[in-house]
Amino acid sequence: MLETLLERFRRGDRLALSRLVSLVARGERTEEVLNGVGPPRKPARVVAVTGSGGVGKSTLVGRLIEQARSHGERVAVLACDPQSPVSGGALLGDRFRMPARPDDEGVFIRSLAAAGGRGAVAEHLGPLVRLLEAFGFDVVLIETVGAGQGDTVVRDLADVLVLLLQPETGDDLQWEKAGLLEVADVIVIHKADLPGAERVEGQVLAALGLSGAPAPPVVRVSARTGSGLEELWAAVRARPPRRPAATTGRDLLRQAQEVLAARFAAAEGGRDPELERILGEWRNGQMTAAQAAAALLRLLGEERSG
C-alpha cells in the first residue's frame, strides 16, 4: 500500500500526496515515506506567518497565495489550528478564509491540529515541509495558531518569519519585550486601513531601534484593500534562506531529529515497545539520561543493520 502511494506521488498524483501528508502528520512511517519520496527537486522557500489571534493571519496567507501564483510559483500551505484540550479535535477552519481554488493544481492547502504548549505549531512540520518540497512546490507557507511573545519555535522551521501586528493591540512596553519581535524577519502592520496603524508602526520602529541590530523591514499591509501586498512579497523574496543546506551538519541533525520524533510518536502510541521500554526506565530513574541516549543510539543502529 505504501509503495503504491509512493509510486503515485513520484508521478505527481495529488491524492497520493494528500494521503502521505496525513500519514506524516500522524507521525506514522515518517522515515519510510521520506526515504521513498526521495530528495527535493529544489529547496522551497518556507515562509512562516505568525501573530496573535485575530490579527488576520489566514486572510493574509490567502493573499500571499495569490502573490506567489502571480509569479508562476507553486505554493503549499500548512495551516495550524488550535486543538481542543477536551476532545482533541480542531475546527480546522483557517482554509475557509483563504481563496478557494479546487481547480488550481499549483495550490495545496492542508489544515493541521496544533496542541497547546507546542510553540503555536502542529507536530511533524519539518517532515511535512520536506514532503512538500519533494513534490515540487516552490513556496511553503506555514500559518501558526494565535502566538504569544515566546512562541518562537516556528523560526527554526522557516526561511522567513513574518510577524503580524495590528492597531490597538497593546501598549508601548509590549514591543520592548523579548520574543517574536526580536526574531521576526519581516514585520507587518496588518489591517493598515484601520486608525492607529501609523502609531503602531512608529512604536515598532522605536523598539527595534533600541537593540542596535539591523532592523527587519516593517510593512503596512491591508489584505482587505490589497495595499502593501506587493511590497510585502518583495521583502519576503529578498530574504536569504535561513534553513541549512543539505550538506551541513545542522541539516543532518535536523533530519535525525525528524527520525527520532517519528520513533517517539510511535512509542507513545504503543507501536514501538522497545523504545517505550527505554523511555519507561529513564522516567523511573532506572537509567540516567546518558544511558538512555546510548540505548537509543544502539536501538537505531540495530534498526539500520537489521
Side-chain angles (χ1 to χ4, degrees), residues 160-203:
V160 185
L161 176 60
V162 179
L163 171 63
L164 270 60
L165 305 172
Q166 66 179 8
E168 311 302 335
T169 54
D171 57 36
D172 294 4
L173 294 178
Q174 292 295 320
W175 314 124
E176 299 180 24
K177 294 180 180 178
L180 280 170
L181 193 68
E182 290 185 324
V183 300
D185 299 302
V186 180
I187 298 172
V188 172
I189 311 302
H190 198 213
K191 304 181 183 180
D193 52 315
L194 298 179
E198 185 174 353
R199 184 176 71 87
V200 172
E201 181 183 27
Q203 291 176 356

Side-chain angles (χ1 to χ4, degrees), residues 210-222:
L210 294 175
S211 70
V218 180
V219 186
R220 275 194 266 172
V221 176
S222 170

